[in-house]
Amino acid sequence: MNIILFGAPGVGKGTQAEKLVKKYHIVHISTGEMFRDAIKGNTPLGQLANSYISKGHLVPDEVTISLVKERISQSDCQKGFILDGFPRTLQQAECLGKICLELNIKIDYVIDIEVLEDELITRLSGRRICKNCGSSYHVVFNKPKVNDVCDNCQGPLITRDDDNKESVIVRLNTYKKQTEPLIKYYMDQGILLRINGQQAIDDVFKEIVNKIGE
Ligand code: AP5
Ligand code: MG
Ligand code: ZN
């Protein structure tokens, strides 16, 4: 099964991806996570990506598309994958369509998680991520078992650089302008599933599983 997890910053893509990966044994591909790893390693890609991400802007399409193309061509993706945070522009969506044709694979579902804007701001301002593995927590809604320590790898929890107020506003606007139009694009293809993201994490997960099948 190949899935796109779609939605504004903070809807819970990363949170749901972690649960879906465990249930369906498929690969999690988060472009945001790939960029953050490159930034951590201070690679040329990381330096380039950081100049956009820190301001809340999108990394240029050609960079992001070639990164994803390379990743989904790898053999582990044959068991299925979740694209988290890609595509985010019409050009990315069209290129993904071409890549799928070339590789003879298809996207089964685009899961659009929907949450009101005020709630997104509350979620992003209280988010903490693991410095080692990137897992997402929340100071109120999704606390780790031990304060400031990751449940999965015992790494320290930190605030993401782009979760400051200014970047969050830019990210939400960027989503509205450049990414939201893809809802219609995938609705027209008949593969869009709308999910109420405004419920507890486990209930969002149940709704997704109900719609895509056990
Ligand atoms: P990316 O890392 O993808 O960030 P994003 O899209 O802004 O989304 P987030 O990761 O912020 O939110 P999420 O939906 O994963 O929410 P989460 O599960 O963490 O991208 C970062 C940047 O990289 C972009 O801004 C861009 O610059 C660049 N980039 C990435 N992809 C790109 C692309 N394709 N093209 C160009 N540039 C690209 O949850 C959020 C919080 O809410 C957490 O604290 C969580 O615990 C909590 N929470 C989750 N679910 C619930 C719930 N149901 N109830 C209560 N709290 C919840
Ligand atoms: Mg995420
Ligand atoms: Zn961790």
Side-chain angles (χ1 to χ4, degrees):
M1 181 157 48
N2 302 318
I3 301 172
I4 293 173
L5 270 183
F6 189 86
V11 293
K13 301 183 293 295
T15 303
Q16 296 300 326
E18 259 184 57
K19 297 168 83 66
L20 290 163
V21 161
K22 281 189 194 138
K23 180 166 175 71
Y24 295 98
H25 308 287
I26 51 183
V27 178
H28 181 197
I29 305 172
S30 158
T31 39
E33 209 61 52
M34 289 162 95
F35 289 136
R36 280 187 289 280
D37 282 345
I39 293 170
K40 224 184 329 182
N42 201 24
T43 65
L45 171 70
Q47 288 169 10
L48 176 91
N50 194 35
S51 64
Y52 295 92
I53 294 179
S54 61
K55 297 190 192 84
H57 297 143
L58 294 183
V59 177
D61 278 346
E62 53 283 11
V63 176
T64 311
I65 291 164
S66 67
L67 192 70
V68 170
K69 184 172 184 186
E70 206 219 293
R71 183 65 190 91
I72 59 178
S73 305
Q74 287 169 16
S75 60
D76 60 339
C77 289
Q78 282 168 10
K79 60 185 175 186
F81 56 79
I82 297 176
L83 280 171
D84 160 1
F86 181 93
R88 277 168 129 105
T89 64
L90 191 58
Q91 196 192 354
Q92 289 181 15
E94 287 171 350
C95 285
L96 176 63
K98 284 186 202 138
I99 294 168
C100 287
L101 275 180
E102 273 172 37
L103 298 175
N104 197 24
I105 51 178
K106 80 173 183 32
I107 301 296
D108 298 291
Y109 303 106
V110 177
I111 299 174
D112 174 32
I113 308 178
E114 299 178 349
V115 172
L116 296 175
E117 187 159 315
D118 280 355
E119 168 76 12
L120 293 177
I121 293 169
T122 309
R123 288 189 188 181
L124 292 173
S125 57
R127 171 163 60 188
R128 298 292 179 271
I129 62 159
C130 173
K131 195 175 173 189
N132 294 344
C133 76
S135 280
S136 223
Y137 298 86
H138 192 279
V139 290
V140 178
F141 306 132
N142 188 18
K143 294 184 188 175
K145 291 193 182 87
V146 177
N147 264 352
D148 298 323
V149 178
C150 175
D151 293 348
N152 299 331
C153 76
Q154 279 71 53
L157 302 189
I158 54 165
T159 301
R160 227 169 83 175
D161 284 344
D162 60 345
D163 278 346
N164 63 74
K165 217 174 179 179
E166 295 74 31
S167 297
V168 165
I169 290 167
V170 178
R171 282 159 62 203
L172 290 171
N173 285 334
T174 304
Y175 170 78
K176 270 187 222 146
K177 261 194 237 139
Q178 294 187 260
T179 310
E180 208 168 44
L182 294 186
I183 292 179
K184 180 166 182 331
Y185 179 83
Y186 284 117
M187 205 188 278
D188 289 347
Q189 294 187 11
I191 54 172
L192 190 87
L193 298 177
R194 306 191 98 140
I195 302 290
N196 173 14
Q198 206 119 344
Q199 11 176 15
I201 292 172
D202 286 341
D203 294 328
V204 176
F205 183 63
K206 277 186 206 143
E207 191 178 325
I208 296 175
V209 171
N210 275 338
K211 290 196 171 149
I212 66 178
E214 283 289 338

